[in-house]
Amino acid sequence: MSSTSGLRGVVAGNSKICTVDGIEGKLTYAGIPIQELAEHASFEEVVYLLWHQRLPNQAELDALKADLAANAALDPAVIALLRTFPKDAKPMDTLRTGVSALGLWDPEQTDNSLEANFRKAIRLTAKMSTLVATLESLRQGKEPVAPRADLSHAANFLYMLSGEVPSEIAARTFDVALTLHADHEFNASTFAARVTIATLTDMYAAITSAVGTLAGPLHGGANEAVFRMLQEIGTIENVEPYLKAKLDAKAKIMGFGHAVYKTTDPRAANLKKMSRALTVEAGVEHLFDLSEKVEAMMLEAKGLYANVDFYSASVYHVLGIPVELFTPVFAVSRVSGWTAHVLEQLADNRIIRPRAEYVGPVDQHYVPIEQR
Ligand code: COA
């Protein structure tokens, strides 16, 4: 691999939204440490922070909550389209198509003014949650549950998923998980969104690119793979032989390693605490013990730390979220960061067009087909 492979370490632009210190294991949104936000902020406050780089006052927060609630419902035409999707299609594929379809029913789709883009950021953030829950209902052959305006964004998602208002603890836990996943600087999906919007296409195109990019197992798809791996390992005794066989075969263990963090991912530390508390409460602490053993072995065997996807798997499972939805749930949160980056890119835009180091053949000439 060349030194420029994967653009590792390359600074590709300025941003005021979020920064990651991979050596110290620090993450801040607009200068505020992620731990403070996880402890004190609601997801709605975080959304405002990412979009404006300051916390909202009470009136601004109330207005944002009201806007999100007012824009959460899907157009009946969109729901009719979602009903035509194959039942066995992967949730990230239906989500990508669903996000793209939202643009078709937005009269402001092609308006790239700042005001219209803020309105679209609200609509996309509000509707992403409804879209994921609606697609899941339809996948399970059930009727979608309409969003409720009196619930927080986090509680509303869990409500639409199960049809029941979640407990305060479940809603708060999910709210914190949304905060922890909301932004992460120039990660692959965010960068894809910025590259897309930098051509001056529209926000729906940018967020569709981002959803497509998030789906892969090296990015957002890792949380689903982590849970399937934990299920496959099954028992604590099996952790060591399982990991040894995988590592000997040079397989990547999902939920470990990071392109930027070379120490503990601060989001993983928070999620680990949440996983411990939730699994004990639900009487499934073997899932936590198993995860902790995998974490210890990966550090010992490979010097690799758990990333955001590792403990989010057990957290989501205890919250009753089906494993197929783990990656779509990432999008429910990250759409806040994606839209913040689209707004930021447009505020000081230049098309993103890097160069390639040419390593192909030289001095070739056209040969007529009958002579080849
Ligand atoms: N399991 C096993 N080995 C891993 C690993 C993992 N999860 N992550 C990295 N490594 C190994 C690599 O094979 C490489 O070994 P080598 O030098 O012998 O070839 C070394 O550690 C360096 O890793 P590298 O692949 O250069 O890291 P990267 O910056 O290119 O990739 C990730 C970062 C996140 C894509 C990578 O760690 C990964 O694939 N992790 C699993 C998927 C995942 O959890 N993604 C979610 C990220 S939040």
Side-chain angles (χ1 to χ4, degrees):
M1 260 183 224
S2 78
S3 58
T4 53
S5 163
L7 297 180
R8 202 62 78 254
V10 172
V11 173
N14 296 337
S15 181
K16 296 176 181 163
I17 299 169
C18 164
T19 192
V20 180
D21 180 336
I23 303 300
E24 296 287 325
K26 288 185 181 155
L27 167 63
T28 57
Y29 294 169
I32 304 181
I34 192 69
Q35 288 83 358
E36 284 181 35
L37 294 168
E39 197 173 334
H40 303 294
S42 65
F43 177 63
E44 288 86 343
E45 280 178 289
V46 168
V47 171
Y48 191 99
L49 177 68
L50 294 174
W51 287 347
H52 300 274
Q53 293 88 56
R54 66 172 178 83
L55 289 168
N57 61 32
Q58 191 63 56
E60 289 163 335
L61 181 60
D62 292 346
L64 176 62
K65 284 181 179 174
D67 276 345
L68 288 172
N71 283 284
L74 302 179
D75 190 302
V78 172
I79 300 180
L81 179 71
L82 304 183
R83 287 184 196 277
T84 68
F85 291 176
K87 293 284 167 290
D88 58 352
K90 290 205 230 85
M92 281 303 281
D93 293 346
T94 55
L95 182 63
R96 186 192 61 234
T97 309
V99 168
S100 180
L102 289 179
L104 302 179
W105 277 273
D106 188 330
E108 293 190 301
Q109 181 189 5
T110 56
D111 183 346
N112 261 342
S113 67
L114 183 64
E115 299 73 21
N117 274 330
F118 261 112
R119 288 191 290 272
K120 284 185 273 181
I122 289 170
R123 278 177 218 140
L124 270 156
T125 303
K127 289 187 200 316
M128 186 71 81
S129 165
T130 316
L131 197 50
V132 171
T134 302
L135 284 165
E136 181 58 10
S137 297
L138 296 176
R139 193 175 74 91
Q140 292 186 9
K142 299 187 203 149
E143 268 312 290
V145 177
R148 264 174 57 165
D150 59 327
L151 298 175
S152 70
H153 197 67
N156 198 27
F157 176 74
L158 296 176
Y159 164 72
M160 288 188 286
L161 211 53
S162 68
E164 283 168 29
V165 176
S167 70
E168 242 173 68
I169 292 187
R172 177 59 192 153
T173 303
F174 189 59
D175 190 277
V176 175
L178 292 179
T179 289
L180 293 173
H181 286 82
D183 196 49
H184 212 234
E185 202 217 54
F186 281 11
N187 62 92
S189 55
T190 302
F191 195 59
R194 289 189 77 127
V195 170
T196 305
I197 199 64
T199 67
L200 297 185
T201 178
D202 67 86
M203 195 181 271
Y204 287 94
I207 305 307
T208 304
S209 287
V211 174
T213 309
L214 184 72
L218 296 189
H219 191 10
N223 55 12
E224 177 175 339
V226 166
F227 191 72
R228 297 200 188 281
M229 173 182 76
L230 294 175
Q231 282 180 313
E232 215 179 310
I233 296 176
T235 61
I236 300 249
E237 298 69 48
N238 197 28
V239 170
E240 206 163 327
Y242 179 95
L243 288 182
K244 189 173 174 339
K246 289 279 178 194
L247 293 175
D248 285 351
K250 302 252 173 269
K252 282 216 169 153
I253 307 300
M254 295 297 131
F256 288 90
H258 199 272
V260 182
Y261 293 117
K262 298 304 165 209
T263 179
T264 307
D265 178 334
R267 303 166 300 173
N270 269 77
L271 285 157
K272 182 175 180 178
K273 270 193 245 157
M274 289 154 67
S275 170
R276 181 186 283 123
L278 281 180
T279 53
V280 168
E281 165 101 17
V284 290
E285 53 263 63
H286 71 274
L287 194 56
F288 179 80
D289 296 341
L290 193 68
S291 306
E292 207 174 30
K293 174 92 180 177
V294 172
E295 184 190 18
M297 263 212 72
M298 283 301 288
L299 190 57
E300 190 186 312
K302 293 286 290 183
L304 288 171
Y305 293 85
N307 59 43
V308 70
D309 292 306
F310 188 64
Y311 282 104
S312 60
S314 43
V315 167
Y316 292 160
H317 173 68
V318 179
L319 286 176
I321 298 171
V323 61
E324 294 83 1
L325 284 203
F326 287 8
T327 311
V329 160
F330 200 148
V332 169
S333 163
R334 186 59 62 87
V335 66
S336 59
W338 291 332
T339 46
H341 280 271
V342 165
L343 292 164
E344 185 176 64
Q345 179 67 35
L346 285 174
D348 184 20
N349 189 54
R350 192 171 190 198
I351 193 165
I352 298 171
R353 202 308 189 183
R355 293 297 316 274
E357 183 73 39
Y358 181 68
V359 295
V362 291
D363 291 336
Q364 296 215 85
H365 294 284
Y366 182 79
V367 178
I369 197 159
E370 60 280 5
Q371 291 173 28
R372 284 178 230 156

